[in-house]
């Protein structure tokens, strides 16, 4: 929806991306303000997205969290097949620290 925070942030990210592409195409250096603003907007968006993932529940069972199994990586001893299938395992805690 055009009134949603996500939509507004996406438009701002798009604007910054276009401005960055134009600067690079013209042979200009990216100004620190463009880079910093882009990082700030992206960080805000990712934090909001992670928060949404963390509180998501099953629509048929609203008390059941959909993210609980992804909070921490599974045990390598108990679930070795997970590590065979997943080349770069990551959990929500790791994602939060990378934002």
């Amino acid at each position: 929806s055009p009134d949603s925070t996500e939509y507004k942030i996406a438009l701002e990210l798009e604007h910054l991306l276009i401005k960055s592409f134009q600067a690079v195409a013209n042979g200009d250096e990216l100004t620190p303000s463009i880079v910093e603003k882009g990082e700030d907007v992206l960080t805000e968006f990712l934090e909001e997205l992670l928060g949404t993932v963390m509180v998501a529940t099953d629509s048929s069972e609203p008390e059941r969290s959909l993210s609980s199994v992804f909070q921490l990586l599974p045990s390598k001893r108990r679930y070795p097949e997970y590590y065979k299938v997943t080349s770069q395992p990551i959990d929500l805690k790791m994602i939060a620290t990378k934002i």
Side-chain angles (χ1 to χ4, degrees):
S1 146
D3 295 330
S4 71
T5 303
E6 291 84 3
Y7 183 81
K8 291 174 185 171
I9 291 172
L11 285 179
E12 192 168 349
L13 281 172
E14 179 184 39
H15 173 74
L16 288 167
L17 183 63
I18 290 168
K19 195 172 179 180
S20 297
F21 278 142
Q22 288 171 342
V24 171
N26 293 334
D28 301 333
E29 299 264 338
L30 292 178
T31 63
S33 63
I34 291 175
V35 174
E36 288 170 13
K37 184 166 179 140
E39 288 174 356
D40 291 345
V41 172
L42 181 59
T43 298
E44 181 182 337
F45 175 76
L46 292 174
E47 286 172 348
E48 229 178 277
L49 180 61
L50 180 62
T52 301
V53 168
M54 297 291 282
V55 298
T57 58
D58 186 333
S59 60
S60 63
E61 294 179 57
E63 66 282 348
R64 187 173 83 83
S65 169
L66 295 176
S67 68
S68 60
V69 296
F70 303 104
Q71 297 290 326
L72 299 171
L73 286 173
S75 163
K76 286 182 181 179
R77 264 187 320 174
R78 291 183 72 190
Y79 303 101
E81 64 278 359
Y82 172 81
Y83 291 90
K84 288 178 186 171
V85 174
T86 308
S87 62
Q88 295 181 327
I90 191 164
D91 57 35
L92 292 172
K93 184 177 178 182
M94 289 179 195
I95 291 170
T97 61
K98 290 179 183 255
I99 293 175

